[in-house]
């Protein structure tokens, strides 16, 4: 039998939150629920160590999991895990930080396998940074980093052995940051297995923001008077122009809507209304730059953009590279991150009849740079 012990008694002080960080929402679900759903299919019992004031809310989150229950946490992580170990009834225990919501089924299976093979299994990662021994603002020594590993969770052990190690540590009044330390000091050298970089611990407020956001936009313009059309800022000779209040750059309008939508903002008509004389004959590339500025104030940067133009005519093939470059310049990204595709509608519908053109755009935004 396997027990998962989820440590959820922390206060999230480093994150600067007033509530327990595992109750905060991440991608639409409380943080705790992500690790709950990862462990539920693989554990016979789940014990969530939590503070008394969080118990009612956590009990409610556990309702869909008949094999999960709360355990009173302690003042330290060690106290919380010790309480849960005493309450657990399984032979093997997997201790996990509830603030690591990205744990995968593979990591949990590897942990169990490691315990069965070696008696213990501690999830860890090789270090990519150099580690220095520091004292009083000076580096005393820089040992080879192969001697070190970054220790994460889950950490799996036979329950009786870990409980025994905790009891001896308590008798000595020693406090450890995690189970691997207690086990190394009072049982034996725990075995490590390599996990996954994605299994990070949520610590700071920015860790909780959705990192990436996708957006989609569409725009259509009808053909009318004129001898050119403008797409992605490129003036393209044409037997007909596009009817528009601005320069009629449907590709850029679709892209602007995709960007605004990804950022959770209103659409292009809301910020640049056709009734406003300021936008009569407007250069859409300048409006696109304004939208990019709006996103920057929200800390959002464009990762890539993809635009598709559907038109029977004119032929766009000779202008594609210039269109891509224009977009890359305003979006502030490499031209390799911009796609512009052009196709016809096989003579079907209003596009096929040559009455107008439709453009589609998708974008990916990222918080930060
Ligand atoms: Mg438009």
């Amino acid at each position: 039998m396997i027990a998962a012990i989820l440590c959820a008694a922390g206060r999230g002080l480093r994150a600067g939150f007033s509530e327990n960080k595992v109750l905060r929402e991440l991608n639409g679900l409380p943080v705790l629920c992500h690790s709950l759903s990862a462990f539920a299919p693989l554990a016979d019992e789940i014990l969530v160590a939590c503070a008394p004031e969080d118990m009612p809310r956590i009990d409610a989150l556990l309702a869909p999991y008949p094999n999960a229950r709360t355990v009173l946490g302690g003042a330290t992580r060690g106290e919380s895990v010790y309480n849960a170990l005493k309450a657990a009834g399984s032979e093997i225990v997997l201790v996990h930080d509830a603030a690591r919501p990205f744990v995968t089924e593979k990591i949990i299976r590897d942990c169990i396998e490691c315990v069965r093979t070696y008696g213990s299994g501690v999830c860890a990662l090789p270090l990519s940074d150099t580690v220095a021994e520091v004292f009083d603002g000076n580096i005393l020594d820089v040992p080879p980093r192969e001697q070190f590993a970054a220790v994460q969770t889950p950490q799996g052990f036979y329950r009786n052995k870990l409980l025994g190690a905790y009891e001896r540590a308590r008798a000595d009044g020693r406090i450890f940051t995690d189970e691997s330390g207690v086990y190394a000091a009072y049982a034996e050298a725990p075995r490590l297995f390599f996990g996954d970089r994605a299994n990070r611990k949520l610590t700071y407020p920015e860790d909780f923001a959705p990192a990436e956001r996708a957006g989609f936009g569409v725009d259509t313009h009808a053909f009318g008077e004129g001898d050119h059309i403008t797409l992605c800022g490129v003036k393209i000779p044409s037997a007909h122009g596009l009817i528009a209040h601005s320069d009629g750059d449907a590709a850029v309008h679709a892209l602007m809507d995709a960007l605004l939508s990804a950022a959770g903002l209103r659409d292009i008509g809301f910020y640049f209304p056709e009734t406003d004389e300021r936008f009569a004959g407007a250069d859409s590339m300048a409006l696109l730059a304004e939208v990019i500025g709006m996103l920057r104030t929200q800390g959002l940067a464009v990762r890539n953009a993809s635009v598709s133009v559907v038109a029977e005519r004119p032929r766009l093939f000779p202008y594609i590279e210039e269109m891509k470059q224009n977009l890359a310049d305003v979006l502030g990204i490499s031209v390799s991150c911009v796609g512009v595709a052009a196709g016809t509608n096989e003579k079907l519908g209003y596009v096929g009849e040559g009455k107008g053109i439709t453009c589609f755009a998708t974008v990916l935004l990222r918080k930060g740079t």
Side-chain angles (χ1 to χ4, degrees):
M1 293 245 295
I2 289 167
I5 294 175
L6 302 183
C7 302
R11 303 306 320 153
L13 294 179
R14 264 185 297 175
F17 299 136
S18 53
E19 63 168 2
N20 189 337
K21 63 182 170 181
V22 306
L23 292 170
R24 283 181 69 91
E25 208 165 275
L26 176 80
N27 299 332
L29 273 179
V31 168
L32 172 64
C33 293
H34 294 271
S35 31
L36 259 181
S37 63
F39 279 93
L42 300 166
D44 299 289
E45 56 173 344
I46 299 177
L47 299 101
V48 182
C50 58
E53 62 269 29
D54 291 333
M55 246 183 206
R57 283 178 72 186
I58 291 183
D59 277 327
L61 296 178
L62 300 190
Y65 301 96
N67 61 341
R69 63 188 196 276
T70 47
V71 179
L72 195 60
T76 63
R77 178 202 172 87
E79 283 289 309
S80 297
V81 172
Y82 179 70
N83 290 347
L85 282 173
K86 284 193 297 180
S90 300
E91 186 189 19
I92 289 175
V93 292
L94 312 179
V95 183
H96 184 65
D97 301 321
R100 290 187 192 273
F102 305 113
V103 63
T104 61
E105 187 181 321
K106 179 179 187 314
I107 291 174
I108 299 169
R109 286 191 190 282
D110 287 351
C111 187
I112 295 168
E113 181 66 30
C114 197
V115 176
R116 292 212 165 111
T117 309
Y118 300 101
S120 55
V122 171
C123 185
L125 285 178
L127 292 184
S128 49
D129 295 324
T130 292
V131 175
E133 188 187 344
V134 174
F135 180 75
D136 202 19
N138 298 313
I139 291 177
L140 300 184
D141 190 20
V142 180
R145 67 176 169 222
E146 294 72 29
Q147 292 179 3
F148 296 91
V151 174
Q152 305 184 330
T153 68
Q155 301 185 5
F157 307 89
Y158 284 98
R159 175 182 161 272
N160 286 341
K161 235 171 149 175
L162 181 60
L163 187 58
Y166 258 113
E167 274 165 353
R168 289 164 63 195
R170 285 164 62 84
D172 286 351
R174 289 182 66 187
I175 292 174
F176 293 84
T177 54
D178 71 0
E179 292 57 61
S180 67
V182 180
Y183 202 79
Y186 290 99
E188 61 200 23
R191 180 80 183 184
L192 68 78
F193 69 97
F194 287 123
D196 193 321
R197 294 209 178 276
N199 183 28
R200 66 183 199 278
K201 191 173 186 177
L202 304 184
T203 306
Y204 302 102
E206 55 270 29
D207 296 338
F208 291 81
E212 292 185 327
R213 317 175 59 133
F216 176 67
V218 186
D219 193 38
T220 295
H221 280 262
F223 281 114
E225 292 291 304
D227 59 3
H228 71 277
I229 62 171
T230 304
L231 289 174
C232 303
V234 181
K235 232 172 135 173
I236 299 163
S238 166
H240 302 277
L242 290 170
I243 302 169
H245 185 63
S246 66
D247 61 4
D249 194 330
V252 169
H253 297 171
L255 181 57
M256 287 165 70
D257 263 346
L259 292 162
L260 291 165
S261 170
L265 296 171
R266 297 288 296 272
D267 61 23
I268 181 174
F270 181 84
Y271 299 108
F272 310 101
E274 291 197 351
T275 49
D276 192 329
E277 273 313 304
R278 276 188 303 148
F279 305 122
D283 172 6
S284 296
M285 294 299 280
L287 304 184
L288 176 63
E290 269 189 55
V291 167
I292 296 298
M294 290 162 70
L295 302 194
R296 288 215 173 105
T297 63
Q298 298 198 9
L300 292 166
V302 181
R303 299 310 298 265
N304 80 304
S306 173
V307 173
S308 183
V309 183
V310 190
E312 294 299 314
R313 60 195 164 82
R315 203 168 124 78
L316 301 179
F317 182 83
Y319 307 98
I320 297 287
E321 287 305 326
E322 194 183 345
M323 291 162 76
K324 285 176 66 175
Q325 189 62 57
N326 279 358
L327 294 184
D329 290 346
V330 176
L331 298 176
I333 55 180
S334 152
V335 74
S336 67
C337 297
V338 178
V340 174
T344 71
N345 213 38
E346 298 293 331
K347 304 215 167 2
L348 295 169
Y350 65 90
V351 170
E353 291 161 14
K355 291 181 178 166
I357 75 169
T358 291
C359 295
F360 303 93
T362 60
V363 295
L364 188 70
L365 306 184
R366 197 173 225 298
K367 274 272 184 195
T369 49

